[in-house]
């Protein structure tokens, strides 16, 4: 074959093969090391898929963003992740690219543009949208490529992400590396779709199918795709046809394939075909290719040898990188004293909690152009289901107040991605009950990104959730208090205001916090209270509780709309000579154990009250800590009062009986004080 008939510049083809050689050297070294017992870590081989990232590497730079999956070691190598740092990471060493905290399936390396590696199938697609939003809003010509296998096309997150990207014309490429296997399952077994790229057309944007084993054809097709996306014409779905020669996990050949299938796959494998093409076309000599391959092997061997000599990440790192500040991490017997807010000055205005939330967002968006709001129906004229965003779209425009599809995974994923890129998104989830729809993005991505990346990346995002409960008429799927889901997930901060002043101050602190924060807003309180709220910017620090009523006989510890119920109960108890102190926690993570324990030392008794189900709730945690720390100072054990263990009833009579209220709180206190 003549060089002119290749359909690709010879030097480009040589460069693609050079990356393929590096990828193949990594693959061989890992499989040899695992087989011999030289080292041990989980490995998902990508043997046979080398051409896809190797070719893309010639069309993109480190400025372009990439997301990949646990099977993405070939993507990482071609993107430019340092091999020593990559192997040290896989081995759990402190010199790893993420300090050994993420391991091979969770690499983040912003210096190369490798932003997120997710071990959750399909979960990277919504996050890619967020990276693309950041690039587009900043006027950058970056493209974001999110890699996933054909199996991920069955995941709802991918569909939600594609729909959002199409609607907003985001500069993102959905790169489906179709290796014909969804883990251990063949494509015809799990879908009737004749192809995957056609799904893009159904969602209103471009889809193409390319031969991912032919570097010349793939280069030509990908150049057109990348140029199209870089020019701002919207997303593209690429179905790159290839074949996985190895098993889903481990080493060796794909033992699920028949002998004929495997033989055909090896015949089409891009590494060997490209090598032969370089020789046949006279682009490279055998000696040149042998030297290139030897250099790749030497690079890999050196990286592995040094990684094996590097220090194992020590146990002293356990709590580092959970949050930006290690003192925010709850830890037994470590109760930091955080400074409370000072006296507020300046003009005030009478506001409901809904208006205070709107005021906080307006202040943050005015101060920082990288703060934006997204969620269902958040735009004007409604300003969200509860009007907490009214007027913001009119003032800041529809690119900073983004009304989204009804797609919670897409909403939270976009917030995660844009925050990793350095923006400060505020994502609104209409009811906390809907958290279950997007819990993966919250718990496995927003919460864990700082830790898994060793603080190479983090997610300074805010999630606002409204909660029903206490009013009747919302029923079991719109009335739950699910804060325990969040507080049991390391890496998420949680605040729950009880009044308009705190709602604005806590929200402003959350928006400006370096970590993901969830603000829980009680629907019951949005319009029923009015306070004099400072007009300007002020902060209620996270992790600082407040004494709402001083007392001497018992401490009531609570948060959210139960603060009002506890205050009412305290007034009733005062008529009986029982003087109750009421503490509003305000934030649950970080939690202010210092002020809790100081109060209980004084009163000798404690009752923790919350609207959430009592079983396994915050009350159990707080009571356990009080009883452990103050057992010799208590007049009786700390106790809790929460909702009965049942879904919240539609009937207001049943709900009122289920959830703590002033009368039931007073009764619980009487039993404790006796």
């Amino acid at each position: 074959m003549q060089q002119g008939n290749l359909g690709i510049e010879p030097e480009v083809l040589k460069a693609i093969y050079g990356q393929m050689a590096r990828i193949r050297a990594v693959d061989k070294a890992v499989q040899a090391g695992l087989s011999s017992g030289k080292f041990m870590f989980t490995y998902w081989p990508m043997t046979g898929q080398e051409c896809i990232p190797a070719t893309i590497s010639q069309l993109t730079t480190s400025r372009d963003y990439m997301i990949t999956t646990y099977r993405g070691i070939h993507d990482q190598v071609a993107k430019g992740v340092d091999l020593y740092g990559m192997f040290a990471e896989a081995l759990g060493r402190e010199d790893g690219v993420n300090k050994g905290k993420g391991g091979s399936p969770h690499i983040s390396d912003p210096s190369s543009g490798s932003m997120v590696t997710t071990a959750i199938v399909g979960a990277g697609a919504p996050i890619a949208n967020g990276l693309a939003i950041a690039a587009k809003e900043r006027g950058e010509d970056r493209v974001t490529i999110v890699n996933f296998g054909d199996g991920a096309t069955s995941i709802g997150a991918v569909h939600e992400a594609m729909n959002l990207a199409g609607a907003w014309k985001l500069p993102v490429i959905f790169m489906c590396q179709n290796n014909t296997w969804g883990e251990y399952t063949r494509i015809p077994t799990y879908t009737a779709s004749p192809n995957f790229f056609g799904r893009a057309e159904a969602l209103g944007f471009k889809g193409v199918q390319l031969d991912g084993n032919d570097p010349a054809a793939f280069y030509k097709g990908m150049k057109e795709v990348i140029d199209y996306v870089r020019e701002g014409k919207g997303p593209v779905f690429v179905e790159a046809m290839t074949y996985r020669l190895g098993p889903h996990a481990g080493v060796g050949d794909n033992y699920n394939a028949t002998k004929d299938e495997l033989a055909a796959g090896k015949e089409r494998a891009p590494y060997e075909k490209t090598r032969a093409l370089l020789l046949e076309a006279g682009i490279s000599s055998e000696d040149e290719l042998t030297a290139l391959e030897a250099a790749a092997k030497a690079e890999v061997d050196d990286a592995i040898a040094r990684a094996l000599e590097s220090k194992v990440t020590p146990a002293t790192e356990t709590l580092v990188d959970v949050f930006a500040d290690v003192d925010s991490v709850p830890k037994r017997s470590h109760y930091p004293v955080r400074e409370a807010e000072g006296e507020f000055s300046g003009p005030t205005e009478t506001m409901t909690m809904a208006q205070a939330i709107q005021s906080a967002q307006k202040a943050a968006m005015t101060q920082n152009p990288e703060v934006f709001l997204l969620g269902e129906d958040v735009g004007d004229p409604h300003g969200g289901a509860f009007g907490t965003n009214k007027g913001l779209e009119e003032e800041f425009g529809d690119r900073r107040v983004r009304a989204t599809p009804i797609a919670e995974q897409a909403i939270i994923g976009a917030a995660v991605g844009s925050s990793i890129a350095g923006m400060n998104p505020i994502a609104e989830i209409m009811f906390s009950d809907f958290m279950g729809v997007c819990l993966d993005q919250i718990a496995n991505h927003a919460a864990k990104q700082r830790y898994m990346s060793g603080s190479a990346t983090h997610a300074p995002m805010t999630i606002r959730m409204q909660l029903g409960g206490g009013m009747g008429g919302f029923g079991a799927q719109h009335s739950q208090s699910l804060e325990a889901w969040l507080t049991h997930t390391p890496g998420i901060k949680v605040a729950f205001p009880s009044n308009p002043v705190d709602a604005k101050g806590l929200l402003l602190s959350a928006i400006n916090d370096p970590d993901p924060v969830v603000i829980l807003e009680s629907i019951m309180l949005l319009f029923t209270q009015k306070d004099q709220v400072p007009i300007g910017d002020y902060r209620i620090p996270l992790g600082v509780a407040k004494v709402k009523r001083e007392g001497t006989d018992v401490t009531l510890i609570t948060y959210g709309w139960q603060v009002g119920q506890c205050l009412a109960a305290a007034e009733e108890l005062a008529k009986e000579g029982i003087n109750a102190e009421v503490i509003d926690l305000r934030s649950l993570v970080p939690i202010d154990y210092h002020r809790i324990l100081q109060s209980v030392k004084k009163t000798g008794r404690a009752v923790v009250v919350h609207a959430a189900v009592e079983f396994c709730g915050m009350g159990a945690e707080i009571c356990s800590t009080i009883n452990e720390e103050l057992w010799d100072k208590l007049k009786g054990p700390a106790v809790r009062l929460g909702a009965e263990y049942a879904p919240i009833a539609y009937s207001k009579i049943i709900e009122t009986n289920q959830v703590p209220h002033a009368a039931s709180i007073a009764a619980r206190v009487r039993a404790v004080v006796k």
Side-chain angles (χ1 to χ4, degrees):
M1 178 181 289
Q2 298 297 315
Q3 292 187 19
N5 297 327
L6 287 172
I8 187 172
E9 289 295 321
E11 290 305 311
V12 174
L13 186 61
K14 283 175 65 176
I16 290 172
Y17 183 72
Q19 285 287 17
M20 291 172 66
R22 294 177 72 242
I23 294 167
R24 180 58 68 92
V26 167
D27 187 30
K28 282 186 173 181
V30 171
Q31 297 214 33
L34 293 174
S35 298
S36 66
K38 183 177 181 179
F39 48 72
M40 182 178 293
F41 54 80
T42 309
Y43 185 56
W44 298 269
M46 44 63 218
T47 321
Q49 300 178 219
E50 300 91 349
C51 178
I52 295 168
T55 302
I56 291 171
S57 73
Q58 302 307 303
L59 294 164
T60 57
T61 73
S62 60
R63 291 187 70 257
D64 295 307
Y65 294 133
M66 184 192 77
I67 291 179
T68 191
T69 72
Y70 53 84
R71 196 186 305 284
I73 195 167
H74 58 322
D75 300 322
Q76 308 285 6
V77 173
K79 194 72 176 80
V81 177
D82 175 68
L83 294 190
Y84 168 58
M86 187 181 74
F87 278 111
E89 185 63 31
L91 293 167
R93 308 303 170 96
E94 63 182 8
D95 284 348
V97 66
N98 302 124
K99 297 165 59 174
K101 292 188 171 184
S104 58
H106 304 120
I107 286 173
S108 296
D109 180 39
S111 66
S112 68
S114 178
M115 304 303 288
V116 173
T117 307
T118 176
I120 311 294
V121 173
I127 299 171
N129 282 343
L131 293 168
I133 288 170
K136 185 172 182 176
E137 289 308 301
R138 291 166 175 167
E140 300 169 339
D141 67 348
R142 301 177 196 249
V143 298
T144 297
I145 299 178
V146 53
N147 295 280
F148 49 87
D150 52 277
T153 60
S154 301
I155 295 288
V158 173
H159 292 265
E160 289 190 24
M162 288 172 63
N163 183 58
L164 186 72
W168 290 354
K169 296 190 182 304
L170 297 177
V172 60
I173 297 169
F174 296 94
M175 176 59 63
C176 173
Q177 298 189 24
N178 184 347
N179 62 25
T180 79
W181 292 89
E183 297 190 354
Y184 300 103
T185 306
R186 303 170 192 272
I187 288 175
T189 306
Y190 68 74
T191 183
S193 294
N195 57 58
F196 297 117
F197 74 95
R199 297 182 182 185
E201 184 179 352
L203 292 170
F205 66 95
K206 185 176 180 179
V208 298
Q209 188 179 75
L210 301 175
D211 186 347
N213 282 8
D214 182 335
F218 192 64
Y219 180 87
K220 181 175 183 287
M222 280 306 302
K223 186 177 188 309
E224 292 175 1
V225 167
I226 290 171
D227 288 347
Y228 177 94
V229 174
R230 211 182 287 283
E231 289 166 9
K233 295 180 179 179
V236 177
F237 185 100
V238 176
E239 183 178 6
M241 305 303 293
T242 184
Y243 191 80
R244 192 186 78 211
L245 298 175
H248 168 57
V251 300
D253 286 338
N254 184 347
Y255 49 79
N256 290 108
T258 66
K259 286 185 178 180
D260 288 345
E261 287 173 335
L262 192 58
K266 289 182 177 180
E267 184 73 21
R268 297 192 304 271
Y271 179 77
E272 291 78 8
K273 280 178 60 178
T274 305
R275 190 182 198 281
L277 180 60
L278 288 168
L279 293 172
E280 182 184 347
I283 297 170
S284 301
S285 67
E286 179 66 38
D287 287 346
E288 286 176 321
L289 295 185
T290 300
L292 183 152
E293 292 153 4
K297 182 178 185 301
E299 180 190 7
V300 172
D301 289 346
D302 175 68
I304 292 175
R306 289 191 292 134
L308 286 168
E309 293 298 318
S310 64
K311 294 180 181 178
V312 173
T313 306
T316 53
E317 282 282 319
T318 301
L319 301 183
V320 177
D321 302 315
V322 176
F323 296 118
D325 177 9
V326 73
D327 274 343
S328 292
V329 178
K331 184 180 179 183
R332 186 185 298 117
S333 299
H334 178 69
Y335 310 122
V337 183
R338 300 182 185 90
E339 187 176 347
E341 69 273 18
E343 291 294 322
F344 300 133
S345 59
T348 63
E349 186 177 301
T350 301
M351 298 184 195
T352 63
M353 184 182 282
Q355 290 169 328
I357 291 164
Q358 185 271 344
S359 178
Q361 294 179 124
K362 179 179 178 179
M365 294 173 77
T366 300
Q367 291 168 2
N368 183 356
E370 301 241 287
V371 174
F372 72 99
L373 172 65
L374 71 163
E376 296 159 14
D377 306 314
V378 296
D380 289 323
H382 297 292
F386 302 101
T388 52
N389 316 299
K390 270 191 177 178
L392 294 177
E393 182 188 8
E394 184 177 338
E395 181 165 353
F396 296 100
D398 61 6
R399 288 173 67 167
R400 294 192 64 197
V401 179
R402 292 175 172 261
T404 66
I406 299 173
E408 282 79 8
Q409 290 186 92
I411 294 167
I412 300 302
V416 173
S418 57
S419 66
I420 288 173
M423 298 186 81
N424 297 96
I426 307 167
E428 180 176 292
I429 299 298
M430 196 179 296
F431 280 85
S432 73
D433 311 70
F434 305 164
M435 186 188 350
V437 181
C438 54
L439 195 57
D440 170 59
Q441 290 293 330
I442 297 172
N444 284 323
H445 294 90
K448 294 181 173 65
Q449 189 59 35
R450 179 185 287 279
Y451 195 81
M452 292 192 306
S453 73
S455 287
T457 54
H458 63 288
M461 58 186 281
T462 303
I463 305 173
R464 293 179 41 238
M465 296 183 187
Q466 283 89 39
L467 296 91
M471 295 176 285
F474 276 120
Q477 294 180 341
H478 286 72
S479 304
Q480 299 170 90
S481 295
L482 298 172
E483 60 269 19
W485 289 13
L486 296 164
T487 58
H488 199 66
T489 302
I492 289 281
K493 294 177 179 175
V494 184
F496 201 153
S498 68
N499 60 78
V501 173
D502 287 358
K504 180 174 179 179
L506 288 169
L507 181 51
L508 281 166
S509 287
I511 294 168
N512 289 281
D513 198 271
D515 296 306
V517 183
V518 175
I519 301 283
L520 300 169
E521 301 163 0
S522 172
I523 298 167
M524 178 187 287
L525 302 178
L526 287 177
F527 305 102
T528 57
Q529 293 187 21
K530 290 187 177 181
D531 278 341
Q532 287 297 310
V533 178
I535 295 172
D537 184 0
Y538 66 93
R539 313 289 168 85
I540 303 291
L542 300 177
V544 177
K546 186 169 186 177
V547 176
K548 302 290 286 188
R549 184 186 191 280
E550 301 225 358
T552 55
D553 298 326
V554 62
T555 300
L556 294 176
I557 302 156
T558 189
Y559 49 89
W561 69 273
Q562 286 291 312
V563 171
Q565 298 297 311
C566 285
L567 288 169
E571 292 304 312
E572 285 300 309
L573 291 165
K575 298 172 185 177
E576 305 166 24
I578 300 174
N579 190 2
E581 182 150 301
V582 178
I583 291 183
D584 182 355
L585 290 178
R586 304 198 288 190
S587 72
L588 308 181
V589 179
I591 188 169
D592 190 355
Y593 269 130
H594 170 74
R595 287 176 173 84
I596 292 170
L597 296 174
Q598 287 297 110
S599 175
V600 180
K601 282 179 187 176
K602 178 178 68 174
T603 65
R605 301 181 181 91
V607 179
V608 184
V609 182
H610 52 65
V613 171
E614 183 176 289
F615 182 73
C616 291
M618 280 295 296
E621 156 61 32
I622 296 170
C623 286
S624 177
T625 298
I626 292 170
N627 290 332
E628 286 182 25
E629 296 292 338
L630 302 178
W631 65 272
D632 58 339
K633 297 178 178 63
L634 295 173
K635 298 172 184 176
V639 301
R640 61 206 155 116
L641 178 63
E644 293 194 51
Y645 193 82
I648 299 297
Y650 182 80
S651 163
K652 187 171 183 177
I653 293 174
I654 298 177
E655 183 180 353
T656 300
N657 185 64
Q658 283 178 279
V659 179
H661 50 86
S664 63
I665 295 167
R668 187 72 164 132
V669 172
R670 291 187 195 102
V672 168
V673 173
K674 278 184 181 178

